[in-house]
């Protein structure tokens, strides 16, 4: 068919523009002139951001902010339809075409946008509208919404003859030479009977793991870095020199047909979108493996929920799920609005990327003395939490990312991952930004900073024993779940013990004396806190007791409930396993895995302390680096004091005979995925390690078993493709108990 536009006329990435904040002050909507002014302001902002996003590949703000801006305009036009014009952003698609760099080309089939829904209530409303218009037997194709750049591929008689950007939906930019450099895209379709002409739609994306490398290269060359991976894909494709595009690790996935002219009647086009995908596969085109044809709304919501929890298990970035009618005939019956198909919608997940202002870059000193710069930002909500700080790792990384104090930056927080500053929004700079300079002296104790060894990217404070920041962080760490597991000893309590506002000499000058503390030692400890009156902050600061209650005439000061709990947990911690004691010592490179190995081999801290470098290195899984670190740690006199004082206080320094768990998983590498009924995520890892196994996070040919619970995702799929044995929970328990599957 020449003219009939089939699925694929929408771009999966086309709803992601970057946006801006309009004036949120109250507007009198009863005043026609006021609402017309507001409409014009909103429309102007959207067009500005479309240009920055599509034409310049430098969005000024995040996708989520753009979505909010667009929804405000849509709501205004819905309330006052007389404001709608043909040129309104709600009636148009995409951005302008850069004719100064690329030749304009007209798409055979118009490329529409996608309407968005943001919760299940909106999805159900869309579903009800569709169901009212078509047969109840119609099924839906659900697929991941690729966060990339929309590209049209035109094949004539099987040969790739043109590739173009989306542009304004009718006219795009000719980027054929650049697209030919992408290895995923075949120059010729793998078929003896290709259509006479077919226009195929898809998304080009840039791997997230390669994004930082590209930005570092650009900064080193004195060029502006990209704000996020999506814009690095767009900027890489829209290069004058195809050799530049060829040097970038771009990939593409195709997802639809815009127009199809069969060579003859014996090879008609498919009748369903799902059939198109199988046709693409046979032709050698890259398609997503993550799609399903589903008949019911419940199944659609289940699909959306699953990938909401597993959106980082797939091979590319996604920001939602596209839901569309699978049957092309039904699509034609439903038709289009002025800008979007009625037969499809995009369910958008909560944003994991936002833009915010980088107010300052400060540094903090960790438990090993490493001085780490971190970003202080205007608070912003991302991935369900409010973020105002993010690590920048080291001074080298700050320069590598090309961020300046005062920049608008793109912030990313994926699920439970630590927030990360991706890069600056260079187009938003006004000249007031300034470069960050790493300090030369420790901000906590004033000691001259330096490299631990020549060529280190990190700088460290060498005053390990007395630096208040290092001591506080070591105390906080030894109380963590991986060590003594002292819940009542949190970060603020660690600071109160080691560097309180009062008294001048803290209760704890070394972790060696932790188990010697008595409640009365903490009676005078005070810290600064924001003053509150009836639960409301006054803006003033006051000194308050931390470990004791405030005394009154009727009720003298006494240890708080948390302090009572602290001492109970300290007493309990004395009987922890040897490997936990090893972790608590903060020996570099000795985490839970190495600590378990050492404890299982030597059975006592005295034996580890007396072991030679050769004996330590010979332990399977330890090696020279960890062995040298242990040897160096015990050669420091104040480190030995920690061990001696803890032992005198009653901390157990050896495992009892026969206490170690049977090593039923020794030598096995096991990956756990999905939800298990009797194990938490940390719990199954602990069980694997305790039984001598290796708890890996990714599946490879070296994986011995994969333990799969409910809603197991791509790890299960990869295990099946590699032929790795898969166990259910009962099978894993048998293996754990007996070392056998029988």
């Amino acid at each position: 068919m020449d003219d009939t536009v089939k699925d694929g006329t929408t771009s999966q990435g086309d709803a992601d523009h970057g946006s801006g904040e309009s004036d949120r002050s109250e507007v009198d909507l009863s005043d026609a002139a006021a609402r017309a002014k507001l409409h014009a302001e909103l429309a102007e902002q959207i067009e500005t951001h479309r240009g920055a996003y599509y034409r310049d590949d430098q969005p000024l703000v995040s996708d989520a902010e753009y979505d909010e801006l667009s929804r405000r305009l849509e709501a205004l036009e819905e309330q006052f339809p007389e404001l709608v014009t043909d040129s309104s952003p709600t009636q148009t698609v995409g951005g302008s075409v850069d004719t100064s760099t690329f030749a304009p080309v007209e798409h055979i089939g118009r490329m529409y946008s996608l309407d968005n829904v943001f919760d299940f209530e909106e999805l159900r409303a869309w579903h009800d509208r569709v169901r009212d218009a078509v047969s109840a037997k119609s099924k839906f194709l659900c697929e991941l919404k690729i966060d990339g750049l929309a590209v049209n591929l035109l094949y004539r008689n099987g040969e790739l003859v043109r590739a173009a950007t989306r542009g304004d939906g009718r006219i795009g930019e000719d980027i054929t030479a650049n697209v030919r450099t992408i290895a995923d895209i075949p120059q010729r379709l793998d078929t003896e009977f290709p259509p006479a002409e077919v226009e195929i739609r898809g998304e080009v994306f840039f791997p997230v793991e390669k994004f930082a490398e590209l930005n570092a290269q650009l900064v080193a060359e004195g060029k502006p870095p990209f704000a996020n991976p999506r814009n690095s894909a767009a900027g890489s494709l829209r290069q004058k020199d195809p050799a530049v595009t060829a040097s970038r690790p771009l990939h593409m996935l195709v997802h639809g047909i815009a127009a199809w002219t069969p060579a003859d009647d014996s090879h008609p086009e498919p009748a369903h979108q799902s059939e198109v995908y199988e046709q693409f596969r046979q032709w050698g085109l890259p398609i997503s493996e993550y799609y399903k044809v589903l008949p019911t709304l419940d199944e659609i919501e289940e699909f959306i929920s699953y990938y909401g929890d597993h959106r980082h298990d797939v091979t590319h970035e996604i920001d939602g799920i596209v839901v569309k009618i699978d049957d092309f005939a039904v699509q034609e019956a439903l038709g289009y609005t002025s800008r979007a198909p009625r037969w499809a919608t995009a369910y958008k997940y909560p944003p994991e990327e936002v833009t915010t202002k980088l107010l300052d870059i400060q540094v903090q000193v960790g438990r090993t003395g490493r001085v780490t710069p971190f970003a202080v930002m205007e608070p912003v909500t991302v991935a369900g939490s409010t973020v105002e700080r993010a690590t920048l790792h080291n001074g080298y990384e700050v320069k590598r990312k090309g961020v300046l104090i005062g920049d608008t930056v793109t912030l990313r927080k994926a699920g439970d991952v630590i927030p990360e500053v991706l890069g600056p929004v260079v187009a938003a700079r006004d000249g007031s930004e300034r470069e960050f300079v790493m300090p030369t002296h420790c901000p906590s104790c004033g000691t001259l900073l330096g490299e631990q060894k020549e060529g280190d990217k990190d700088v460290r404070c060498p005053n390990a024993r007395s630096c208040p920041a290092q001591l506080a962080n070591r105390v906080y760490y030894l109380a963590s779940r991986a060590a003594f597991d002292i819940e009542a000893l949190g970060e603020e309590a660690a600071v109160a013990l080691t560097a309180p506002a009062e008294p001048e000499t803290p209760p704890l000058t070394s972790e060696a004396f932790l188990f010697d503390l008595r409640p009365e030692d903490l009676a005078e400890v005070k810290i600064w806190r924001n003053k509150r009156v009836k639960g409301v902050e006054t803006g003033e600061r006051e000194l308050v007791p931390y470990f004791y209650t405030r005394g009154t005439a009727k009720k003298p000061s006494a240890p708080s409930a948390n302090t009572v709990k602290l001492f109970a947990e300290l007493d309990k911690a004395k009987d922890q396993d040897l490997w936990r004691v090893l972790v608590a010592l903060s020996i570099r490179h000795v985490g839970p895995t190495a600590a378990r190995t050492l404890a299982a081999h030597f059975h006592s801290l005295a034996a580890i302390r007396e072991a030679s470098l050769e004996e330590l290195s010979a332990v399977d899984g330890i090696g020279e680096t960890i062995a040298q670190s242990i040897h160096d740690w015990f050669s420091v006199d104040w480190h030995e004091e920690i061990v001696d004082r803890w032992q005198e206080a009653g901390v157990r320094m050896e495992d009892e005979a026969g206490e170690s768990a049977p090593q039923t998983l020794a030598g096995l590498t096991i990956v756990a995925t999905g939800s298990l009924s009797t194990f938490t995520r940390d719990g199954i890892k602990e069980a694997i390690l305790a039984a001598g196994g290796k708890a890996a996070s990714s599946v490879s040919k070296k994986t011995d078993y994969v333990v799969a619970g409910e809603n197991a995702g791509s790890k299960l799929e990869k295990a099946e493709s590699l032929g790795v044995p898969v166990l259910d929970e009962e099978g894993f328990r048998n293996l754990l108990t007996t070392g056998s599957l029988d």
Side-chain angles (χ1 to χ4, degrees):
M1 289 174 54
D2 280 315
D3 305 319
T4 303
V5 178
K6 294 299 186 185
D7 180 59
T9 58
T10 60
S11 163
Q12 291 191 1
D14 63 13
D16 305 326
H17 308 278
S19 70
E21 287 294 328
S22 64
D23 182 5
R24 292 184 179 276
S25 58
E26 291 295 326
V27 175
D28 181 8
L29 295 182
S30 65
D31 184 328
R35 60 180 181 256
K37 180 182 178 184
L38 175 60
H39 183 274
E41 290 172 350
L42 290 169
E44 182 180 2
Q45 288 185 63
I46 291 173
E47 292 297 349
T48 296
H49 297 308
R50 279 182 172 180
Y53 186 85
Y54 290 113
R55 182 187 62 249
D56 304 331
D57 303 318
Q58 288 287 352
L60 298 174
V61 278
S62 70
D63 298 346
E65 292 168 298
Y66 180 89
D67 287 341
E68 172 62 21
L69 196 64
S70 297
R71 296 185 85 183
R72 292 185 63 206
L73 184 63
E74 289 167 2
L76 184 65
E77 291 185 350
E78 184 176 349
Q79 187 175 358
F80 302 101
E82 68 275 11
L83 295 174
V84 180
T85 65
D86 290 342
S87 61
S88 172
T90 63
Q91 308 301 306
T92 58
V93 175
S96 58
V97 175
D98 181 8
T99 56
S100 65
T101 306
F102 302 99
V105 293
E106 185 174 357
H107 304 311
I108 297 174
R110 180 183 171 189
M111 190 168 191
Y112 289 82
S113 183
L114 278 172
D115 286 335
N116 295 326
V117 296
F118 295 88
D119 55 42
F120 283 152
E121 183 178 353
E122 292 183 355
L123 176 67
R124 291 173 194 132
W126 172 82
H127 180 269
D128 289 345
R129 289 195 300 272
V130 171
R131 281 290 187 227
D132 288 343
V134 300
S135 166
K137 295 181 180 180
S138 297
K139 294 183 179 180
F140 298 85
L141 185 141
C142 299
E143 60 189 345
L144 309 189
K145 186 173 182 295
I146 305 163
D147 195 8
L149 177 74
V151 170
N152 298 333
L153 305 176
L154 179 60
Y155 287 87
R156 289 197 180 109
N157 298 316
E159 297 284 344
L160 178 65
V161 297
R162 190 177 75 198
T165 64
R166 187 185 66 163
D168 64 5
R170 296 184 183 278
I171 305 294
E173 300 158 321
D174 190 334
I175 54 170
T176 308
N178 292 350
V179 167
R180 288 188 187 280
T181 70
I182 301 176
D184 294 341
I185 302 172
Q187 303 301 307
R188 178 173 178 79
L189 299 180
D190 186 13
T191 175
E192 295 181 19
F193 306 103
E197 187 171 70
V198 61
E199 189 172 53
I200 297 168
R201 300 279 160 81
E203 300 284 325
V204 172
F205 62 92
F206 199 102
V208 175
E209 64 271 15
K210 299 292 185 181
F211 171 71
E213 295 177 16
L214 173 61
N215 264 4
Q217 177 186 333
L218 293 174
V219 171
E221 295 171 355
K223 299 175 182 177
F226 290 110
N228 55 43
R230 186 271 170 201
N231 291 96
S232 66
S236 298
L237 261 187
R238 300 174 74 253
Q239 293 285 328
K240 293 181 179 180
D241 183 359
V244 176
T245 303
S247 70
R248 309 271 173 87
L250 296 175
H251 296 276
M252 183 175 186
L253 293 174
V254 297
H255 58 68
I257 291 177
W260 174 304
T261 304
D264 54 58
D265 294 339
S266 62
H267 296 89
E269 65 175 307
H272 295 84
Q273 172 69 21
S274 51
E275 294 172 5
V276 166
Y277 281 8
E278 292 310 309
Q279 183 73 79
F280 285 166
R281 191 196 304 274
Q282 293 172 21
W283 286 348
L285 288 161
I287 66 168
S288 173
E289 298 296 326
Y290 307 103
Y291 74 90
K292 279 188 177 181
V293 177
L294 301 171
T296 68
L297 180 60
D298 287 344
E299 290 172 290
I300 293 171
E301 291 182 359
E302 183 179 346
F303 184 91
I304 290 170
S305 297
Y306 175 80
Y307 281 106
D309 294 334
H310 296 82
R311 60 195 288 189
H312 306 293
D313 295 345
V314 298
T315 57
H316 54 77
E317 284 293 285
I318 68 172
D319 61 356
I321 298 294
V322 178
V323 183
K324 46 193 169 186
I325 295 287
D326 190 40
D327 190 316
F328 285 154
V330 177
Q331 289 183 13
E332 290 183 12
L334 283 168
Y336 301 79
T337 66
S338 61
R339 63 180 296 276
R342 294 188 178 93
W343 41 264
T345 193
Y347 183 100
K348 296 290 289 289
Y349 290 130
E352 293 189 325
E353 283 185 17
V354 295
T355 55
T356 188
K357 196 76 170 179
L358 178 60
L359 303 175
D360 198 7
I361 297 178
Q362 300 176 4
V363 298
Q364 59 189 8
V365 184
R367 64 188 173 92
T368 62
R370 189 175 75 170
V371 180
T372 304
F374 63 92
V376 179
M377 300 164 293
E378 289 183 353
V380 62
T381 300
V382 56
S385 60
T386 300
V387 175
E388 52 187 322
R389 292 190 176 192
T391 182
L392 288 165
H393 303 291
N394 51 52
Y396 171 83
E397 189 70 9
V398 176
K399 289 185 178 180
R400 187 170 182 256
K401 288 181 180 291
V403 294
L404 304 176
I405 297 172
D407 265 335
T408 296
V409 294
T410 301
L411 178 73
R412 185 172 190 267
K413 183 179 184 293
D416 295 328
V417 177
I418 297 171
E420 176 189 7
V421 173
L422 288 182
V425 181
V426 176
R429 286 177 175 167
D430 61 12
S432 65
E433 299 79 14
R434 67 187 191 279
E435 187 175 354
F436 164 73
V437 179
M438 277 291 290
T440 56
H441 291 74
C442 176
S444 180
C445 67
T447 303
L448 182 67
L449 302 176
E451 301 171 349
Q452 183 160 343
K453 60 182 179 180
E454 188 176 352
D456 272 356
K457 293 177 181 177
D458 296 323
V459 293
R460 296 178 184 272
C461 171
N463 183 23
R465 181 175 190 176
S466 305
C467 177
Q470 291 186 62
L471 175 58
N473 279 296
R474 288 199 303 271
V475 171
Y476 176 53
Y477 179 74
L478 67 81
S480 67
R481 290 183 180 181
F484 282 126
D485 194 14
I486 305 171
E487 184 180 345
L489 183 46
E491 187 172 9
E492 189 178 47
V495 172
L497 285 172
T498 59
E502 290 183 5
E504 184 175 338
T505 301
L508 208 57
T509 56
S510 167
E511 60 265 50
F513 308 108
L514 176 66
F515 295 97
D516 297 326
L517 288 174
R518 298 167 299 173
E520 52 266 33
D521 297 333
L522 311 182
E524 302 302 319
V525 173
K526 293 182 179 179
I527 64 169
W528 286 104
R529 275 197 175 147
N530 293 330
K531 187 175 182 179
R532 291 174 175 267
V533 175
K534 296 182 179 180
V536 179
E537 291 188 5
T538 65
E540 299 176 2
R541 302 273 284 172
E542 62 176 342
L543 269 177
V544 297
Y546 185 81
F547 294 101
Y548 272 57
T549 61
R550 298 193 195 204
T552 65
K554 293 183 179 180
K555 193 173 182 180
S557 179
S560 67
N562 201 61
T563 300
V564 173
K565 181 180 179 182
L566 169 63
F567 280 92
E569 291 182 341
L570 281 171
D571 191 56
K572 182 180 177 182
K574 294 177 184 180
D575 198 39
Q576 288 282 23
D577 294 336
L578 174 60
W579 72 268
R580 289 184 175 275
V581 178
L582 274 170
V583 173
L585 292 174
S586 280
I587 303 172
R588 284 195 74 192
H589 307 304
V590 180
T593 301
R596 284 180 181 277
T597 301
L598 290 163
H601 184 87
F602 290 101
H603 304 294
S604 74
L605 197 61
I608 297 171
R609 188 176 185 174
E610 294 166 4
S612 66
L613 265 175
E614 291 75 18
E615 290 171 326
L616 290 167
S617 299
V619 178
D620 186 32
I622 297 303
E624 294 182 5
T625 299
I626 297 176
Q628 187 67 57
S629 183
I630 295 168
H631 188 268
D632 291 346
W633 193 90
F634 278 108
S635 68
V636 178
D637 56 359
W638 66 272
H639 288 168
E640 292 189 318
E641 180 185 34
I642 296 171
V643 176
D644 293 340
R645 296 290 299 193
W646 284 5
Q647 189 166 15
E648 290 172 13
V651 176
R652 198 178 73 179
M653 294 291 175
E654 61 183 25
D655 285 336
E656 297 175 8
E659 183 179 12
S660 298
Q663 301 298 284
T664 52
L665 304 183
L668 298 179
T669 298
I670 298 175
V671 174
T673 182
S675 301
L676 301 170
S677 61
T678 58
F679 289 98
T680 63
R681 183 179 299 181
D682 290 337
I684 194 167
K685 181 178 179 181
E686 290 280 338
I688 294 168
L689 293 174
K694 178 182 178 182
S697 59
S698 59
V699 180
S700 70
K701 293 181 179 179
K702 296 181 179 180
T703 305
D704 292 294
Y705 296 101
V706 168
V707 183
E710 291 185 8
N711 296 323
S714 61
K715 293 177 184 178
L716 174 59
E717 295 171 4
K718 188 168 184 180
E720 292 171 341
S721 68
L722 293 175
V724 175
V726 177
L727 306 178
D728 60 14
E729 195 162 354
E730 182 179 355
F732 171 69
R733 284 197 168 279
N734 288 338
L735 183 66
L736 183 66
T737 303
T738 66
S740 169
L741 296 177
D742 297 333

